[in-house]
Amino acid sequence: MRLLLILLLSLPVPAQAFERITSRDTFLSLVDGRRLVGDGVSLEVQGNGQISGSGLGLQISGSWNWENRMFCRTLQTAVRSFPRDCQTVARRGDVLRFHANGGQGDIADLRIR
């Protein structure tokens, strides 16, 4: 019995899967009043549809809305504009995963602070 317990305790714990967020209300409950941080970026996604923050030494601004179960945003910096992109969003713990181009493009994982 003791050997069985030792074997069970030594098994790896499966990683928690990301869970898709499909509603604006759920998304807002996670981000409103908080910062999203990662990959050299720090952003605030506000309930009024505005985005602000910084990344790589540049100020970032933009706007967002929720459409077809996705986060759709535009972003601007002093040197570049990022066109509208609708992204799937998923959560694992305090990490939000943004998957660009409707879930077909690049992935950015940002920690909720």
Side-chain angles (χ1 to χ4, degrees), residues 74-93:
T74 59
L75 295 175
Q76 298 85 37
T77 70
V79 296
R80 182 176 175 195
S81 291
F82 296 86
R84 184 173 190 270
D85 183 32
C86 291
Q87 307 175 356
T88 61
V89 182
R91 176 187 182 200
R92 181 175 67 197

Side-chain angles (χ1 to χ4, degrees), residues 17-64:
F18 278 90
E19 289 186 40
R20 174 91 187 265
I21 296 170
T22 57
S23 83
R24 180 184 190 277
D25 290 342
T26 300
F27 178 74
L28 266 180
S29 73
L30 296 169
V31 302
D32 197 24
R34 299 190 173 116
R35 295 192 76 68
L36 300 177
V37 180
D39 293 330
V41 173
S42 178
L43 298 173
E44 287 184 28
V45 178
Q46 302 160 0
N48 66 2
Q50 298 301 303
I51 300 171
S52 61
S54 61
L56 305 174
L58 298 170
Q59 289 300 111
I60 298 170
S61 63
S63 61
W64 73 277

